[in-house]
Amino acid sequence: VHENGGRICMQILHSGRYGYHPFTVAPSPIRSPITPFKPKGLSSRGVKGQVSDFVRSAKLAKKAGYDGVEVMGSEGYFINEFTTRRVNKRDDEWGGDAEARYRIAVEIVRGIREAVGPDFIIIYRLSLLDLVPEGNSWDEIVAQAKAVEAAGATIINTGIGWHEARIPTIAAVVPRAAFTWVTARLRGHVQVPLITSNRINTPEVAEAVLARGDADMVSMARPLLADPQFLRKAAEGRSDDINTCIACNQACLDHIFEGKIATCLVNPRACHESELPHTPTATRLKVAVVGAGPAGMACAVTAAERGHRVTLYEQAEALGGQLRLAVAVPGKQEFKETLRYFERRIDQTGVAPRFGDRVDAPTLLNEGFDAVVLATGVVPRGIAVPGADHPKVLGYGEVLSGRVGVGHTVAVIGAGGIGFDVAAYLAHARPEGDPRSEYLRHWGIDEAYRQAGGLAQSGQTAAPALRKVYLLQRSSTKIGAGLGKTTGWIHRALLRQYGVSMINGVRYDRIDDAGLHITVKARSETLAVANIVVCAGQESQRELYAPLKQAGLKVHVIGGAERAAELDAQRAIEQGVRLGLRL
């Protein structure tokens, strides 16, 4: 970092009651709703010991060569737990009124400043919006900010929401830069620079935030996993070349909470750089990639970057495959950025695209390719139900693409990821106002900050539904059990807010003019719906494999063509990149 003219600070984070082990500690013995372990309430001496540990960590960071530290005082972690009545029920010098509750933050910052001297950077990440009941009021937050500044903080960073808050704060359903207003609200109360954060994923968004005067600096994390060259490209005016973070959380946060190595859906090499070196090819091959969905695009670009001559065949008139369908789903519009990025890279790397071309085996054999990659994806699986050919029955592809009209009452068969997406698409009434204002209103966030935690007094508001939707599942397991660990609850909450009826343990009896006849718990009923949308899984599309293999051609199969499990862009892109690096 120093060799390249940069500065680096180490974040000191104590998880408090969010620690996933039986030895967690907190200001009071109150279990978090997102962990199974009840923490031990610290004694006064124990609190002082924790303060000393923060100071020691900062001293070690300075000794190691860091330019500063960031003290994590937000997101519901250890320090933040002390500052609110939600977890701090103490009646000693570390609890009670606001000043006593945030005393720990002041003691930590003051202790670090005394230990490291005047020129060491101390960033304090302050929770400006707790988004939980019994969170801090605005006046308490301002008082804490002033006290931390006086104790020696160099910069104050913005933390938004506790992890247990039932409000999404960093997922794709959150509009870009949705929380910079709360950082702007603190300006003038303190003199140190302020950093703002959350869902700032392009240079243009960052520049707009600074131009408005909402903050002095912006914080990014996931965008630098998506593209480690983000800053270089921004500085060189190459914003279109940036691989943009889509806020899916699928490979970063979900992996962390599953005990896996974090990486990135749009950049599988993130955190695997040494395992997946990007080296030029020693032997330049002529490669055909069939299918321009996520797997095919990733493979074609990666192989071309290494020096192979790549032709990309796609029967549609545009890139993207299933990603083009995903863009229509509420909260997945950021996939447009992924499509933009791949379109740019295909052009820059010299991949030769052949659109509107359903290539056959003889053509591939006659072209003299050294290797063929089948990324031909999937076809939707049908349902073995009497009346499955009724005009009421539609496929998810024709619905999400807008090729067919859909009535006002709909049954969705299949409650996997695609079923959830289709249900949200059908129920979601597109708001006409400002997306940020609509988001704040919908999730019950009060921009005027009239009560503690920043929650609106009336709470979340029911979403206006465009249609009446039934989401049906044959299995008796919990609906949505297979959704992302950190975002599944958001998808379920949205469907509840739209009034979607989610029913499991369903037997599909028949479809006719009256609608969909089902049996649930031995009780038969008829859903008088205008349409039935089938989201019952997929089957691999790989009919080219056998004739190419029999002809002696080297054939690789990736993405949905390799395994038609629940559609998984992360797996598809990773397979494409890994194969592109291996060819």
Side-chain angles (χ1 to χ4, degrees), residues 322-337:
Q322 299 280 334
L323 287 189
R324 289 213 171 266
L325 298 179
V327 165
V329 176
K332 292 195 173 182
Q333 293 87 348
E334 290 282 20
F335 271 122
K336 291 179 183 177
E337 297 287 355

Side-chain angles (χ1 to χ4, degrees), residues 133-347:
E134 296 186 282
N136 281 311
S137 69
W138 179 250
D139 288 343
E140 290 171 337
I141 288 167
V142 171
Q144 185 183 166
K146 290 179 176 179
V148 166
E149 177 185 37
T154 317
I155 300 168
I156 293 178
N157 196 357
T158 298
I160 300 293
W162 288 33
H163 288 306
E164 64 204 68
R166 294 293 86 185
I167 296 172
T169 55
I170 60 172
V173 297
V174 181
R176 294 176 177 181
F179 294 104
T180 62
W181 58 271
V182 75
T183 312
R185 189 182 176 106
L186 188 60
R187 299 199 81 180
H189 291 289
V190 292
Q191 303 306 309
V192 295
L194 298 179
I195 302 174
T196 197
S197 64
N198 287 44
R199 288 289 282 122
I200 299 169
N201 65 343
T202 72
E204 293 77 15
V205 172
E207 290 293 348
V209 167
L210 299 176
R212 285 197 304 269
D214 286 359
D216 301 292
M217 305 167 71
V218 298
S219 170
M220 295 180 184
R222 295 170 300 166
L224 305 182
L225 284 177
D227 194 330
Q229 297 297 321
F230 185 107
L231 293 180
R232 182 188 297 277
K233 292 174 181 178
E236 294 174 355
R238 297 192 293 123
S239 181
D240 285 347
D241 293 344
I242 292 173
N243 193 2
T244 306
C245 169
I246 60 173
C248 66
N249 297 338
Q250 191 172 330
C252 50
L253 287 177
D254 280 2
H255 274 209
I256 289 295
F257 285 107
E258 292 168 0
K260 301 176 183 177
I261 295 173
T263 182
C264 178
L265 182 148
V266 300
N267 176 27
R269 294 186 67 242
C271 305
H272 294 277
E273 293 85 355
S274 59
E275 174 192 345
L276 300 172
H278 212 299
T279 54
T281 180
T283 305
R284 194 177 188 210
L285 302 178
K286 185 178 180 182
V287 180
V289 178
V290 185
M297 293 189 297
C299 183
V301 165
T302 306
E305 286 171 344
R306 295 183 55 233
H308 295 303
R309 293 174 294 152
V310 181
T311 301
L312 178 60
Y313 293 93
E314 171 53 49
Q315 66 178 355
E317 296 296 334
L319 299 168
Q322 299 280 334
L323 287 189
R324 289 213 171 266
L325 298 179
V327 165
V329 176
K332 292 195 173 182
Q333 293 87 348
E334 290 282 20
F335 271 122
K336 291 179 183 177
E337 297 287 355
T338 307
L339 292 171
R340 170 201 54 75
Y341 173 75
F342 275 121
E343 288 169 354
R344 181 82 166 168
R345 292 303 294 150
I346 284 169
D347 181 58

Side-chain angles (χ1 to χ4, degrees), residues 206-533:
E207 290 293 348
V209 167
L210 299 176
R212 285 197 304 269
D214 286 359
D216 301 292
M217 305 167 71
V218 298
S219 170
M220 295 180 184
R222 295 170 300 166
L224 305 182
L225 284 177
D227 194 330
Q229 297 297 321
F230 185 107
L231 293 180
R232 182 188 297 277
K233 292 174 181 178
E236 294 174 355
R238 297 192 293 123
S239 181
D240 285 347
D241 293 344
I242 292 173
N243 193 2
T244 306
C245 169
I246 60 173
C248 66
N249 297 338
Q250 191 172 330
C252 50
L253 287 177
D254 280 2
H255 274 209
I256 289 295
F257 285 107
E258 292 168 0
K260 301 176 183 177
I261 295 173
T263 182
C264 178
L265 182 148
V266 300
N267 176 27
R269 294 186 67 242
C271 305
H272 294 277
E273 293 85 355
S274 59
E275 174 192 345
L276 300 172
H278 212 299
T279 54
T281 180
T283 305
R284 194 177 188 210
L285 302 178
K286 185 178 180 182
V287 180
V289 178
V290 185
M297 293 189 297
C299 183
V301 165
T302 306
E305 286 171 344
R306 295 183 55 233
H308 295 303
R309 293 174 294 152
V310 181
T311 301
L312 178 60
Y313 293 93
E314 171 53 49
Q315 66 178 355
E317 296 296 334
L319 299 168
Q322 299 280 334
L323 287 189
R324 289 213 171 266
L325 298 179
V327 165
V329 176
K332 292 195 173 182
Q333 293 87 348
E334 290 282 20
F335 271 122
K336 291 179 183 177
E337 297 287 355
T338 307
L339 292 171
R340 170 201 54 75
Y341 173 75
F342 275 121
E343 288 169 354
R344 181 82 166 168
R345 292 303 294 150
I346 284 169
D347 181 58
Q348 291 173 329
T349 57
V351 172
R354 300 274 185 87
F355 295 124
D357 193 343
R358 187 178 176 87
V359 68
D360 55 22
T363 300
L364 293 170
L365 292 169
N366 290 337
E367 288 288 337
F369 289 108
D370 298 303
V372 173
V373 178
L374 296 183
T376 41
V378 297
V379 290
R381 182 185 296 130
I383 50 172
V385 176
D389 58 349
H390 194 280
K392 287 177 179 283
V393 179
L394 305 172
Y396 68 82
E398 54 188 347
V399 171
L400 291 176
S401 65
R403 297 198 305 268
V404 297
V406 183
H408 289 290
T409 54
V410 187
V412 177
I413 292 179
I418 297 173
F420 266 81
D421 284 350
V422 169
Y425 170 83
L426 292 171
H428 178 66
R430 281 67 177 166
E432 297 181 1
D434 170 49
R436 186 183 67 88
S437 299
E438 175 62 22
Y439 159 77
L440 297 175
R441 183 197 65 78
H442 178 83
W443 288 98
I445 303 169
D446 181 16
E447 203 167 355
Y449 225 123
R450 282 166 287 207
Q451 69 175 12
L455 299 172
Q457 292 181 342
S458 57
Q460 297 172 10
T461 58
L466 191 61
R467 297 177 177 86
K468 174 57 187 174
V469 178
Y470 300 88
L471 180 61
L472 310 175
Q473 174 178 288
R474 191 186 302 273
S475 167
S476 297
T477 58
K478 178 183 177 182
I479 287 189
L483 298 176
K485 197 169 184 68
T486 60
T487 55
W489 69 270
I490 300 173
H491 299 305
R492 287 188 290 269
L494 279 171
L495 293 196
R496 283 194 295 269
Q497 291 165 5
Y498 291 136
V500 173
S501 298
M502 293 179 270
I503 308 171
N504 60 0
V506 177
R507 188 184 76 200
Y508 308 111
D509 297 325
R510 68 184 186 281
I511 299 166
D512 56 25
D513 290 345
L516 174 61
H517 301 265
I518 62 174
T519 299
V520 182
K521 295 179 181 177
R523 179 172 168 266
S524 297
E525 60 178 298
T526 301
L527 302 180
V529 294
N531 290 108
I532 297 97
V533 182

